[in-house]
Amino acid sequence: MPKSRTSSFTRRGFVAAGGALGLVAVLAACGGSDSAKGDGGKDNGAAASGPWTFKDDLGKDVSTKSTPKNIVAFTGTAAALYDYGVPVKGVFGPTKTADGKPDVQAGSMDISKVEILGNVYDEFNVEKYAALQPDLLVTNSWDGTYWYVPEASKDKILALAPAAAVKVGGDVTLDKALERTADLAKSLGADLNSKKVVDSKARFEAAAAKVREATKANPGVKVLVGSGSDALFYASTPETAADLKYFKQLGVEFVTPEKLDEGGFFESLSWENAGKYKADVILLDNRTGTLQPEQLKAKPTWGELPAVKAGQVVPRVTEPIFSYDKCAQILEDLAKSIQSAKKVS
């Protein structure tokens, strides 16, 4: 999982005194939820009139008595489901910025129409979640855990409704994560044969071809994936994230850091050592809470990086919205960046 900005977060405990008792009362009122026991191997959702089951990427057969309607999801997962026409009741994860605008991870969702249960890492209002009477919780998984489900309250959350996760890290590539998200959306009622979905997938495939063409037409362009915080510059490996692994398959040449931190996702560099790796293009983490180019001007070593001097810093959608609609744009932007890049390293 991309932890380049979570290291600065303080882990929060569960709701303050009295929260647990309040939760018990809410649970009693809601009457619990359908069991998540599997049926032994079905992989896709059943018709709305019958039982629903989905084998998720944690290997669990997730099932309910009927197709879930009250769905709560990690913001980015919810945004992907929205692109397929599957609405959610509540979200958790970066949804709204400090000025009230939709976070980049909210995609095309109308955030005024969803209950925001938590807006930052380790924040999840369990009582509000219970009040939504959820049928299903869905999220991504980078490392075998439920992304943005706080460890401190995980057991209470997972007791309220079945949970399904789509793997987006490790050995999974972007195209596979997209397929699995589409499978989940289909099981929840999405029409994958709709013109919008068919056109979006065709656009994605065409964009992938553009990236291949760009890397062949402009070989040798070195790309560094980075993320900035006040104290550190993080250089990411292309080997653990679905998007970067797929870009590599398309021919993108990445700078691979030598000494990865615990977890194996990136190398933490002091700003004095930010120039350790030379690159022609920098893909810079675009998530809320990370430093963006205007803010990074205050870091002298940032301005000395060859890619920065050449104006070849482009946003990286570090946590993609796994719909063909959103990922097609990512590939189109990447193709343009590679095609126009000058070798400066």
Side-chain angles (χ1 to χ4, degrees):
M1 108 186 85
K3 293 185 178 179
S4 59
R5 67 190 176 94
T6 64
S7 58
S8 62
F9 293 152
T10 300
R11 290 214 171 248
R12 299 175 178 85
F14 181 51
V15 193
L21 292 176
L23 176 60
V24 170
V26 174
L27 287 174
C30 291
S33 183
D34 293 315
S35 171
K37 294 180 180 179
D39 66 349
K42 290 184 180 180
D43 194 20
N44 293 314
S49 59
W52 175 89
T53 184
F54 182 82
K55 190 175 185 67
D56 80 349
D57 291 345
L58 299 184
K60 297 182 179 180
D61 290 300
V62 186
S63 62
T64 58
K65 294 178 181 178
S66 60
T67 303
K69 298 299 181 186
N70 289 351
I71 302 169
V72 173
F74 166 66
T75 303
T77 313
L81 292 176
Y82 179 90
D83 286 347
Y84 287 111
V86 178
V88 303
K89 289 291 183 71
V91 295
F92 54 96
T95 308
K96 183 167 59 175
T97 60
D99 58 3
K101 295 179 181 179
D103 187 274
V104 63
Q105 293 191 61
S108 301
M109 281 195 303
D110 183 346
I111 63 172
S112 69
K113 295 182 178 180
V114 293
E115 182 77 47
I116 301 174
L117 306 177
N119 200 52
V120 297
Y121 191 75
D122 246 5
E123 181 180 87
F124 193 118
N125 190 313
V126 188
E127 293 183 2
K128 283 186 178 181
Y129 177 56
L132 290 175
Q133 297 186 297
D135 299 320
L136 178 70
L137 180 148
V138 292
T139 186
N140 295 332
S141 181
W142 291 87
D143 59 356
T145 62
Y146 296 103
W147 186 227
Y148 265 76
V149 174
E151 186 65 29
S153 51
K154 178 183 67 176
D155 292 344
K156 294 181 177 70
I157 293 167
L158 297 182
L160 284 164
V166 174
K167 192 175 181 181
V168 298
D171 58 352
V172 174
T173 51
L174 179 65
D175 53 335
K176 298 304 179 184
L178 282 167
E179 288 176 9
R180 290 295 290 147
T181 303
D183 288 343
L184 176 61
K186 180 180 179 180
S187 78
L188 295 171
D191 180 7
L192 300 190
N193 293 317
S194 70
K195 185 178 187 305
K196 177 183 177 182
V197 174
V198 171
D199 287 351
S200 294
K201 187 173 183 180
R203 180 186 169 196
F204 173 84
E205 292 169 348
K210 290 178 182 177
V211 175
R212 288 193 188 95
E213 293 167 3
T215 59
K216 290 178 180 178
N218 195 7
V221 172
K222 301 295 183 182
V223 178
L224 175 66
V225 182
S227 182
S229 71
D230 285 334
L232 298 168
F233 179 68
Y234 302 92
S236 295
T237 175
E239 303 299 334
T240 54
D243 60 333
L244 302 182
K245 287 173 70 70
Y246 187 61
F247 300 165
K248 191 173 180 180
Q249 287 183 0
L250 298 178
V252 176
E253 297 183 41
F254 286 103
V255 175
T256 302
E258 300 167 353
K259 298 180 180 180
L260 300 179
D261 292 8
E262 183 179 358
F265 291 95
F266 53 80
E267 178 177 353
S268 299
L269 300 170
S270 65
W271 278 108
E272 290 77 8
N273 295 313
K276 178 177 179 179
Y277 301 109
K278 300 296 188 292
D280 304 301
V281 173
I282 295 177
L283 290 183
L284 184 67
D285 191 344
N286 77 331
R287 290 177 295 178
T288 302
T290 64
L291 300 184
Q292 298 306 304
E294 190 63 31
Q295 299 163 308
L296 287 169
K297 289 179 180 179
K299 306 291 185 184
T301 50
W302 170 258
E304 294 301 313
L305 300 179
V308 177
K309 286 184 175 181
Q312 295 180 168
V313 177
V314 295
R316 180 207 172 191
V317 182
T318 305
E319 293 184 53
I321 294 169
F322 290 95
S323 70
Y324 290 107
D325 180 68
K326 297 298 184 291
C327 288
Q329 185 67 57
I330 291 173
L331 290 182
E332 289 168 353
D333 292 343
L334 178 64
K336 291 177 183 177
S337 299
I338 299 296
Q339 187 174 18
S340 62
K342 296 179 181 178
K343 299 178 186 63
V344 294
S345 61

